[in-house]
Amino acid sequence: MYSLLQRAISFWALLGGVLVIAIVLVTAVNVGALILDSILKNFGIYVSALPGYEDFVRLAISAAALSFFPYCQMKRGHVAVELFVQAFPQWLQQALDKLWLLLTMALAVFLAYWMWIGMLETRSDNTMTAVLGWAEWPWYLPGVVSMALWALISLVQAFGAKSHG
Amino acid sequence: QEVTLTFHHFLGPKAPAQTKMIEPWAKSVEEASGGRIKVEIFPAMSLGGKPPELYRQARDGVVDIVWTVLGYTPGVFPRTEVFELPTVHRGSAKETTVAIANSWDLIKDDFKDVKPILVHTHGGQVFHMVDKPVRTPDDLVGMKLRTPSRIGGWTIEALGAEPVGMPVPALPQALSKGIVAGALIPFEIVAPLKIQELTKHSTEGPNSYRFGTATFMIGMNNDSYESLPDDLKKVIDDHSMGNIAETYGAVWDASEEGGKKLIRENSELITLSDDEYAVFEDKMAPVVERWVADANGNGLDGSGMVDAARAAVAKASGN
Amino acid sequence: MGEMEFIGIAGLAVLFFLLSLRMPVGLAMLLVGVGGTYALSLTASYVRFGPYVKQFKSLLWSNMANYDLSVVPLFVFMGYLASQANLSRDLFQGMNALMGRFRGGVAMSAIGACAGFGAVCGSSLATASTMGRVALPELRKLNYSPRLATGALAAGGTLGILIPPSVALVIYAVIVEASIIEMFRAAMIPGIIAVVFFIAVIALLVRWKPELAPSVSDMDKAERRRALLKLIPVLLIFGSIIVGLGIGLFTPTPAAGVGVFAILVYGFAQRFWSDEGLRFGGVKTALLETAVTSGMIYFILFGAEVLKGFFTRAGLPSAMATWAGTSGLDPWLILVLMLLILVVLGCFMESLAMILVVVPFFWPVLIDLNGGDYATAATSTFGMDAEDLKIWFGILALIVVELGLITPPVGLNVFIINALAKDIPMSETFRGVVPFFLVEIIRIGLIIAFPMLVLLVPTVLS
Ligand code: NA
Ligand code: NA
């Protein structure tokens, strides 16, 4: 069960990574077109760049960024400050750790819930991006999934799965 | 004092929108209420969120009042967009703002979820070009131009150029490096972005006719309004829509002058003749058609709205 | 002080308390932001908690859907990818071929490689861990003193944050609405000064105590030539990014995108003429590393957004500006106090969280002290207009924040380097950092005394 969740979270983060790569490729095409255009326009030939580049980057990065949250949690990457706690007895350290994990889970559930509401509202508002005219609401969905995965992995970590590293 | 109203917006505290419109409005409301209303202004999104969320914040009551750009949430105000169209908006924020107030029934369904205090425009879009003087639409063919909005993008396309979306702060860089050949923006933001140093030619129509505009709203949360006692409701009503449209519309026209002066002094201001502008109008006609088709698709009477909006603007201009 | 401000200050205290209990930074900021707003809603009728909660419908998404911040994961990815494509190793070996023959030269090469790697990597921690992995084995093989070896790498890692691109500078620019490019340009001279100072420190140390660096690089002539050859494409890629950004050929997101693309192409192309180069597995690893680092950054950014709403509602930043304006203290003293607060906080706080929490308080104070948004250089207190002040203070704050990475008790760079050499006690590394820390103080003094060091490049290039 746990390894299934781990694989799902890694896969989800890699999907986010694919969006990052997509941004890279779109950027390369766009910059290439701009360079070509700056040369060819002297001969009266206009090369079109990708209209709505910023729109696309904005949408893609929203999904990618959120897809990283559960993976970061799985790797215990959400930083905390090591100050006094190392000097505390072991049981207290573990209790605190468990408490923070449960709070993280509660937060992720809370965010997933409101994001879902936000998605429905964005759909009924019919909000779209300025240049591309793409609907915004579908881009909330990966965020909801990310928050749900984040809640799950925090819960599993709170109840003792060995997950450091 | 019995009521504090929070007022949230996206520009800085020294921006003319705050000093010339929001602060005078707030002061006037406070005075008219005999000190029973206090308006607390929070500039620069300091209460959190991004500018496109301002409308939601007013609707949900996160804050009491917001000032926002309707174009930040394209699709949410399908009716009001009619006043952004080139050939609907002419060249005066005051006239179009008064026209909006006077033809409220036309667009009121866009504002069911907030109490509108003022729906206004800025002076209108002007072509600011890095090194290409624009006198005919042919001068724009193939050029990459920064678009301010959905309608702005359509306008640029209709004129044979290519719309590029980018946040306003990125514009100076994009102009100076030739990433865009020009931009469709009003004169009002010339000074803060130092546009006059980056462009050589700006083009507007005769009688300062423009190429479309952008619409803005001061909107209040419905519950915040409804929970006021009747006499304070009246104070707000006295400071809403038709009662203030002329005053604050004129503020936006006035704020064009500074930028216009800078352009005249540092670069070239091209004012098209009536005949030259007519060529642009012909070329921009498909923008209106496209909007009509889009509106019809949303179950609206597109061409009826365009006619009504044009008539209202003409009436407000006294023609 | 009103009740609202009191709640704000109490919230700040609770934040530090929760942080000291090792609560994740983003979580602590969020809880204090939401909880504090609830406390305010009990006091002030115009803060309504029910509607406030509803903004979470869109607050998270719109914070992520931010074009300006899209450079953050891209610059992080660029660093990890460069490491997977072995560009970090090629860079160090190339530097080593140039400088390794001198006494202490391998440590100097490590500093140079850190600076070079900083030009593709936005994060200090990633720079420290990448260059640590590459250079530390070499330094140990040559019997460098553990103190010097780990100290130099921990300090060199901080160059990742100062040499543009820099995640911390992007975030500072977004908070104060400065131009990201201008910030990058401003960091160039201070970055070069840091490299020169660090190398000078090593030169002086080994002259004073030659036993710190008992031997020099053992590369033979063929190895050296090969290393120099491999340095060329690395310098071309890294150089074109930094030059492209510097002269403004690219805006940040396209620059990052093109940089990543170039590394991908070069990395995969290498496999045609050698058995080295980038593999799909390497790209995957780099993406997953990017997920951890960016996930952490975005969580803190979101926490800071929520916290900001609470502090603003409580009226803390404006109260602070008023207090500073009426305190009668000398503005320069207040500036130094601010930097000292950053140094102290930096001893135990995470660097980005620090920028995000503290700058919104300090910035309005500085602007007020300087004479307002429209002060000109002539009429202002600090002798520069608001835009220049933004840039100058940003660089100062960045250097100070970066110092926090090498100061005890919590010095993340020191931890990272130390984790790579488990047999060296942590205290040795902290001692090794001391000389570098001292020249950093000199550098801060120079930048305070001569703001031109920061402002020259942005002025000339724009
Ligand atoms: Na860097
Ligand atoms: Na520290």
Side-chain angles (χ1 to χ4, degrees), chain C residues 297-352:
Chain C
I297 293 172
Y298 271 111
F299 187 24
I300 293 176
L301 280 169
F302 180 55
E305 178 77 19
V306 174
L307 198 60
K308 175 182 88 174
F310 162 58
F311 284 146
T312 309
R313 281 181 176 84
L316 271 197
S318 55
M320 176 124 173
T322 313
W323 171 81
T326 54
S327 67
L329 291 176
D330 184 78
W332 287 92
L333 182 66
I334 293 182
L335 176 80
V336 173
L337 277 177
M338 284 178 177
L339 295 178
L340 278 178
I341 291 175
L342 284 172
V343 172
V344 172
L345 283 178
C347 287
F348 57 91
M349 234 176 124
E350 202 281 325
S351 55
L352 281 183

Side-chain angles (χ1 to χ4, degrees), chain C residues 7-342:
Chain C
I7 294 175
I9 289 174
L12 202 56
V14 172
L15 177 70
F16 284 123
F17 176 70
L18 292 176
L19 288 177
S20 74
L21 291 181
R22 205 162 66 188
M23 183 186 267
V25 176
L27 182 65
M29 290 168 121
L30 256 154
L31 290 184
V32 170
V34 175
T37 307
Y38 178 71
L40 290 176
S41 73
L42 302 177
T43 310
S45 61
Y46 62 88
V47 181
R48 289 177 298 269
F49 191 67
Y52 166 81
V53 169
K54 284 189 188 164
Q55 69 176 328
F56 286 94
K57 284 187 291 194
S58 57
L59 196 65
L60 177 60
W61 188 78
S62 66
N63 254 275
M64 302 298 126
N66 182 335
Y67 177 77
D68 286 336
L69 288 177
S70 64
V71 300
V72 169
L74 287 171
F75 280 142
V76 170
F77 182 45
M78 189 151 78
Y80 287 127
L81 196 65
S83 168
Q84 287 296 329
N86 287 322
L87 300 189
S88 45
R89 184 204 57 199
D90 294 349
L91 184 64
F92 172 66
Q93 294 295 0
M95 293 285 175
N96 208 356
L98 288 172
M99 295 191 278
R101 278 166 295 175
F102 309 108
R103 184 176 289 281
V106 184
M108 295 176 193
S109 309
I111 296 287
C114 282
F117 195 72
V120 283
C121 182
S123 140
S124 198
L125 303 183
T127 305
S129 72
T130 304
M131 294 320 301
R133 260 178 278 170
V134 171
L136 198 54
E138 186 78 12
L139 289 165
R140 305 219 62 190
K141 189 181 85 187
L142 296 171
N143 286 318
Y144 268 64
S145 102
R147 201 182 276 186
L148 176 63
T150 55
L153 282 168
T158 65
L159 294 171
I161 198 174
L162 188 68
I163 305 273
S166 156
V167 168
L169 274 185
V170 170
I171 284 162
Y172 174 83
V174 169
I175 300 178
V176 303
E177 297 185 312
S179 144
I180 295 173
I181 300 268
E182 300 260 289
M183 293 307 306
F184 284 178
R185 288 173 179 165
M188 281 180 182
I189 293 182
I192 292 169
I193 295 180
V195 177
V196 171
F197 276 17
F198 285 179
I199 289 181
V201 164
I202 295 172
L204 288 175
L205 281 175
V206 297
R207 168 165 276 230
W208 174 48
K209 280 190 180 171
E211 69 273 19
L212 290 175
S215 45
V216 296
S217 164
D218 52 2
M219 275 183 168
D220 63 34
K221 212 167 183 174
E223 278 175 321
R224 187 168 295 137
R225 216 185 45 227
R226 211 168 37 236
L228 285 174
L229 252 160
K230 280 188 155 177
L231 186 61
I232 293 169
V234 178
L235 289 183
L236 273 179
I237 294 175
F238 292 13
S240 60
I241 293 165
I242 204 164
V243 169
L245 268 173
I247 63 172
L249 200 61
F250 302 126
T251 51
T253 299
V258 168
V260 171
F261 186 73
I263 294 171
L264 280 173
V265 169
Y266 175 69
F268 281 116
Q270 262 186 308
R271 287 176 51 193
F272 285 107
W273 62 80
S274 69
D275 45 358
E276 296 184 329
L278 196 57
R279 289 166 189 283
F280 277 107
V283 178
K284 187 177 147 189
T285 309
L287 279 176
L288 288 175
E289 287 173 326
T290 305
V292 175
T293 306
S294 319
M296 168 203 97
I297 293 172
Y298 271 111
F299 187 24
I300 293 176
L301 280 169
F302 180 55
E305 178 77 19
V306 174
L307 198 60
K308 175 182 88 174
F310 162 58
F311 284 146
T312 309
R313 281 181 176 84
L316 271 197
S318 55
M320 176 124 173
T322 313
W323 171 81
T326 54
S327 67
L329 291 176
D330 184 78
W332 287 92
L333 182 66
I334 293 182
L335 176 80
V336 173
L337 277 177
M338 284 178 177
L339 295 178
L340 278 178
I341 291 175
L342 284 172

Side-chain angles (χ1 to χ4, degrees), chain A:
Chain A
M1 214 24 224
Y2 178 56
S3 81
L4 187 70
L5 180 63
Q6 272 186 316
R7 266 187 306 187
I9 286 175
S10 305
F11 179 71
W12 189 245
L14 281 173
L15 278 186
V18 169
L19 282 175
V20 172
I21 302 264
I23 292 176
V24 169
L25 296 180
V26 168
T27 304
V29 171
N30 205 32
V31 170
L34 286 174
I35 293 172
L36 216 59
D37 184 63
S38 67
I39 299 167
L40 291 180
K41 76 177 165 199
N42 301 321
F43 307 99
I45 302 167
Y46 298 103
V47 181
S48 180
L50 300 169
Y53 169 75
E54 287 80 7
D55 278 6
F56 172 75
V57 170
R58 209 169 63 85
L59 295 179
I61 212 69
S62 77
L66 289 170
S67 76
F68 296 158
F69 278 52
Y71 187 79
C72 184
Q73 181 68 44
M74 190 168 92
K75 295 290 174 186
R76 294 300 189 109
H78 290 300
V79 288
V81 174
E82 294 281 346
L83 195 57
F84 312 117
V85 175
Q86 281 160 316
F88 289 2
Q90 200 63 31
W91 65 268
L92 185 55
Q93 288 193 36
Q94 277 167 2
L96 281 173
D97 191 46
K98 186 175 267 192
L99 184 58
W100 303 156
L101 284 167
L102 289 173
L103 279 171
T104 304
M105 185 208 67
L107 172 73
V109 169
F110 169 85
L111 291 173
Y113 169 77
W114 281 109
M115 219 170 164
W116 177 261
I117 305 283
M119 180 181 76
L120 298 180
E121 192 186 87
T122 308
R123 192 174 62 169
S124 70
D125 278 353
N126 195 23
T127 314
M128 53 190 143
T129 63
V131 179
L132 290 177
W134 291 2
E136 267 184 4
W137 70 266
W139 295 88
Y140 278 62
L141 197 57
V144 177
V145 174
S146 298
M147 292 301 106
L149 287 174
W150 191 18
L152 276 176
I153 187 69
S154 308
L155 183 70
V156 169
Q157 285 178 333
F159 290 101
K162 301 233 179 329
S163 54
H164 292 267

Side-chain angles (χ1 to χ4, degrees), chain B residues 286-310:
Chain B
V287 177
V288 179
E289 284 158 26
R290 187 170 173 182
W291 185 84
V292 167
D294 198 58
N296 290 347
N298 289 327
L300 303 171
D301 169 18
S303 62
M305 291 185 70
V306 171
D307 292 342
R310 278 187 181 142

Side-chain angles (χ1 to χ4, degrees), chain B residues 203-218:
Chain B
T203 300
E204 67 166 356
N207 315 315
S208 73
Y209 278 12
R210 303 296 172 84
F211 305 91
T213 187
T215 47
F216 303 76
M217 162 178 76
I218 301 177

Side-chain angles (χ1 to χ4, degrees), chain C residues 346-348 404-405 407 410-411:
Chain C
C347 287
F348 57 91
L405 295 169
T407 52
V410 183

